[in-house]
Amino acid sequence: MTLDQLRIFVAVAERGHMTKAAELLGISQSAASAAIRSLEQQHGVQLFNRVGRNIELAQTGRRFLPEAKAVLERAAAAHNVLEHVSQTITGSLSIAASQTIASYWLPRRLASFHEAYPAVRLSVTIGNTRQVETNVLDGTADFGLVEGRTDSDILRRAKVDVDRLMLVVAHSHPEIAEVSRGHPDISEIRWIIREGGSGTREVLEDLARREGISFADLRIFLVLPSNEAVRQAVEAGAGATIISELVVERAVAEGSLRSVPIDLPKRDFAMITHRDRQASLAQMALKAHLGAKAGETVRG
């Protein structure tokens, strides 16, 4: 068996889907299927049960999965040793990033990193903060970049930047009532928000808590899965939202959105890594490139 076969097996096992695993690994679905079939034929076993169009781990596959993952971890550790000896920065890095960071903050920084380290291959997956945290914990991603809170105490968290949040409405939206100057009455606002687990939603949850208002009592009109969908709904006059300045600064400058004065705390953009996994030279180079403050460990 080969390391590539093991990587494909683990990816398929963790996702329960051949095509999704192939997309993650950057190979064709047929190549992934062929690798699994070859592994099964070489050893005369059945690793997966094919149930209709879906697949699930067979008993042999469940027993084999932790061993396969252990081999891959040892191979990665061996690669790191050789990399440190040679001081050559090569290899691949998988990054999971929340939507705001992935769409508005990260691309230019990864482009400049590639110019400095052209031998390092980068791949990025996008999800909300909870999904990114899960990806780092299960080893799907080497790094996570989030703006929301993380809960696990086995993650290292290092600040890479600061984000400013804004309350915005459409330019034509009626004035919002205030309970006092600079403090809009959030209980009377019709809200458009992101899904549970997103960092921007957490900001509204925290604001409601500070104001002594149950989040369930807010007038939530729409729950949408992306920043762009939220921005467009607000521009259409459907309601208000709290969102990163990075997402709406152009719309505010052009006049399609209007900022509503409100006292909101700034939030950190943070890199999260697993404390028990040894960092490669490529990982340390990316951490330095993104400006992470080494040694800062935070829970929650």
Side-chain angles (χ1 to χ4, degrees), residues 15-286:
R15 278 151 191 79
H17 198 283
M18 194 72 69
T19 301
K20 291 180 180 178
E23 289 174 352
L24 174 74
L25 296 171
I27 61 176
S28 67
Q29 187 270 339
S30 59
S33 296
I36 296 298
R37 188 164 53 250
S38 175
L39 190 58
E40 290 178 324
Q41 291 173 352
Q42 286 171 13
H43 300 280
V45 297
Q46 182 174 324
L47 299 171
F48 294 95
N49 295 319
R50 280 72 175 176
V51 183
R53 299 181 65 181
N54 299 320
I55 60 174
E56 59 185 29
L57 277 172
Q59 182 176 359
T60 301
R62 287 196 296 271
R63 293 178 59 188
F64 182 53
L65 180 59
E67 300 300 329
K69 293 174 75 172
V71 170
L72 292 175
E73 289 177 1
R74 290 300 303 158
H79 174 82
N80 290 345
V81 169
L82 294 179
E83 190 178 64
H84 279 276
V85 170
S86 67
Q87 294 296 298
T88 301
I89 299 180
T90 61
S92 60
L93 291 176
S94 57
I95 304 159
S98 55
Q99 285 193 21
T100 302
I101 293 174
S103 299
Y104 299 94
W105 185 87
L106 188 59
R108 290 186 180 182
R109 289 168 172 83
L110 290 188
S112 60
F113 178 82
H114 178 68
E115 289 183 4
Y117 304 99
V120 178
R121 187 179 69 177
L122 302 168
S123 63
V124 179
T125 57
I126 302 174
N128 62 36
T129 296
R130 294 285 80 74
Q131 292 165 337
V132 172
E133 180 177 17
T134 298
N135 288 344
V136 175
L137 287 171
D138 67 18
T140 305
D142 299 312
F143 285 104
L145 290 163
V146 297
E147 71 270 1
R149 291 185 295 268
T150 48
D151 298 323
S152 175
D153 59 0
I154 60 173
L155 291 178
R156 296 188 182 278
R157 184 177 173 112
K159 178 174 148 183
V160 294
D161 210 341
V162 176
D163 185 34
R164 179 171 173 252
L165 294 154
M166 303 175 71
L167 170 57
V168 294
V169 296
H171 182 73
S172 59
H173 192 282
E175 292 296 321
I176 293 176
E178 295 181 323
V179 292
S180 62
R181 185 172 180 82
H183 288 78
D185 186 355
I186 65 171
S187 65
E188 294 301 315
I189 295 174
R190 187 165 68 168
W191 290 101
I192 300 167
I193 64 173
R194 286 278 307 281
E195 79 287 352
S198 74
T200 46
R201 180 175 174 138
E202 283 182 356
V203 174
L204 181 58
E205 292 171 344
D206 290 344
L207 178 62
R209 194 176 300 114
R210 290 198 304 272
E211 298 289 331
I213 299 170
S214 169
F215 185 77
D217 291 336
L218 294 179
R219 297 174 58 201
I220 296 172
F221 173 62
L222 275 176
V223 179
L224 295 169
S226 72
N227 289 323
E228 285 302 302
V230 169
R231 180 185 60 78
Q232 291 185 35
V234 174
E235 285 186 343
T241 197
I242 291 174
I243 199 165
S244 169
E245 182 181 32
L246 294 174
V247 180
V248 296
E249 58 183 344
R250 178 176 295 181
V252 171
E254 293 174 349
S256 60
L257 289 178
R258 171 166 53 87
S259 175
V260 177
I262 186 173
D263 182 20
L264 291 172
K266 294 180 180 179
R267 63 178 180 178
D268 292 342
F269 284 167
M271 174 183 288
I272 56 174
T273 54
H274 198 294
R275 74 177 185 192
D276 296 329
R277 294 192 178 102
Q278 181 183 4
S280 66
L281 283 179
Q283 291 170 1
M284 290 189 287
L286 180 60

